[in-house]
Amino acid sequence: MLVVQNEGNGGPRRFGDWLAEDGLRLDVVHAYDGAAPPRALAHDAVLVLGGGFMPDADDRAPWLAQTRALVAEALRSGVPVFGICLGGQLLAHVAGGAVKADAGAPETGSVPVTLRPEAAADPLFHDLPATVPGIEHHVDAITALPADAAWLAQTERCPYQGFRVGERAWGVQFHPEVTPDRIPQWNADRLRAQGYDPDDVHAQAVADEPVSTPVWREVCRRFAAVVRASVPS
């Protein structure tokens, strides 16, 4: 599985551990540190992680152009894709949706993510609790989904929290890979300027983790199963 890491602190974390437990081998490209994504897709799945860029910010993150090309190739060939935060926005962008910088109120910390009726038939999101906490950390957001996307999840401030393009490509705005220990590493002054108390943000995430972790673990397990089933025997 190709993993594109867009920031130094933005690794796959527990999501990568879970995928490895489920039999996937991760090939992590540290794009933020100068490593280039491959020119052609030779992997069985793609995971694009978060980062503080717009999906087409090629002037700041020149590797994004090739990442977009790889995601487009995966969509054409049916290779499974999972995009987190920037990765989800990039998937939406490639598939014909819209992403806007500084789109409305920021979301930070553990936030209730509500599943939509479309989730009932989705391979990853079916039969989950109606509302699940998800850790958020973004100001940019998807403002329109691709025309053929299945809209799976939303929050009060940001409607497009989860979606599927085609049969095997998913994007989420929240961070299923992040645990509460990451929150104290965020810029506390910036959080306060956005109206958040850093201690409260951390405490809420700690309180919600026992609820959220098993749900996102199951979503990861289901994605790994999609990947394994898509590989020719």
Side-chain angles (χ1 to χ4, degrees), residues 125-144:
F125 286 80
H126 68 87
D127 298 325
L128 300 181
T131 301
V132 187
I135 290 182
E136 307 273 2
H137 194 45
H138 71 102
V139 293
D140 306 335
I142 298 165
T143 55

Side-chain angles (χ1 to χ4, degrees), residues 22-118:
D22 293 332
L24 275 62
R25 182 172 58 86
L26 274 60
D27 179 9
V28 181
V29 174
H30 298 99
Y32 68 93
D33 199 28
R39 301 302 302 176
L41 185 60
H43 294 76
D44 299 314
V46 179
L47 172 63
V48 183
L49 299 171
F53 311 104
M54 288 285 285
D56 57 353
D58 299 349
D59 55 336
R60 298 174 57 209
W63 64 87
L64 288 176
Q66 182 57 24
T67 304
R68 294 194 303 273
L70 291 170
V71 169
E73 183 180 350
L75 290 175
R76 289 192 300 269
S77 58
V79 170
V81 176
F82 200 98
I84 294 174
C85 196
L86 167 60
Q89 296 169 2
L90 188 144
L91 171 62
H93 175 88
V94 167
V99 182
K100 182 179 179 182
D102 297 319
E107 280 188 311
T108 290
S110 185
V111 175
V113 177
T114 301
L115 299 189
R116 293 175 50 82
E118 295 91 329

Side-chain angles (χ1 to χ4, degrees), residues 186-199:
W186 294 348
N187 187 311
D189 290 337
R190 184 177 301 165
L191 294 184
R192 293 188 188 97
Q194 294 173 343
Y196 293 99
D197 182 300
D199 293 335

Side-chain angles (χ1 to χ4, degrees), residues 115-183:
L115 299 189
R116 293 175 50 82
E118 295 91 329
D122 184 73
L124 303 193
F125 286 80
H126 68 87
D127 298 325
L128 300 181
T131 301
V132 187
I135 290 182
E136 307 273 2
H137 194 45
H138 71 102
V139 293
D140 306 335
I142 298 165
T143 55
L145 289 178
D148 60 347
W151 183 11
L152 304 174
Q154 62 189 55
T155 61
E156 182 178 348
R157 289 189 173 187
C158 181
Y160 303 121
Q161 288 289 334
F163 64 98
R164 187 186 74 252
V165 176
E167 298 299 319
R168 296 175 179 167
W170 287 266
V172 296
Q173 182 61 68
F174 57 92
H175 287 271
E177 85 284 12
V178 169
T179 48
D181 64 294
R182 177 76 175 89
I183 292 175

